[in-house]
Amino acid sequence: MHWTDTTHSYTLSTCKHLGRPCPAAEHMLSRLAAALGQARTVTADDFEVAGNCELTACDHPCQARFTANHERIRIYCGVSPEAEQSGLDRFADALFEGTRDRGFIAKRPEYPYALAQAVPLHPQTSRTAASQQSLSA
């Protein structure tokens, strides 16, 4: 599933358990995008928040990992807290960006049940946004 709003382009894969995009991941993705939008002018360009949570959209609650920064937000559904982040990123890059790096597939013991990603429509650094606000004041 793919859609855009005024700030981000969103993409969700199909969940292995639901057979459709996970509504809990969709909700979390949009909330993280809104939170990062509010934090943009008061955070550095390298600001990032990451963590683990449990998503409960169906009768199969799953552990999820998220990473959110001003360049992109990703949610990895159905992965353990110990899952290797670089492998998850490479898997998501292959899905969302079409990279041809297939060498990681044989090395990945844990695949996400579903993936979600949001990318800003108009990337802008914190300093640039703050400068524009101070000019308009």
Side-chain angles (χ1 to χ4, degrees):
M1 177 167 76
H2 184 80
W3 79 98
T4 59
D5 64 13
T6 58
T7 62
H8 287 79
S9 174
Y10 302 87
T11 306
L12 275 79
S13 72
T14 300
C15 172
K16 290 180 184 181
H17 294 285
L18 293 174
R20 60 184 169 83
C22 174
E26 179 183 350
H27 183 73
M28 184 173 177
L29 190 63
S30 64
R31 293 295 186 175
L32 284 169
L36 279 172
Q38 291 177 342
R40 176 167 290 288
T41 59
V42 295
T43 56
D45 292 340
D46 64 349
F47 174 78
E48 181 172 280
V49 62
N52 296 292
C53 63
E54 184 174 303
L55 297 177
T56 54
C58 63
D59 61 350
H60 189 276
C62 70
Q63 292 293 315
R65 180 181 298 170
F66 62 91
T67 59
N69 58 50
H70 294 304
E71 293 179 20
R72 77 171 177 227
I73 302 162
R74 282 188 174 162
I75 301 172
Y76 308 87
C77 302
V79 298
S80 70
E82 297 81 26
E84 179 191 336
Q85 186 64 46
S86 64
L88 293 172
D89 287 337
R90 290 172 73 185
F91 184 78
D93 289 346
L95 179 69
F96 292 129
E97 298 171 16
T99 60
R100 301 234 179 238
D101 178 12
R102 304 232 195 285
F104 72 94
I105 292 176
K107 300 174 191 173
R108 289 269 313 123
E110 188 171 357
Y111 292 98
Y113 292 159
L115 292 167
Q117 175 174 278
V119 178
L121 292 176
H122 306 290
Q124 190 177 56
T125 65
S126 301
R127 281 178 256 133
T128 303
S131 297
Q132 287 177 351
Q133 283 186 344
S134 66
L135 290 175
S136 64

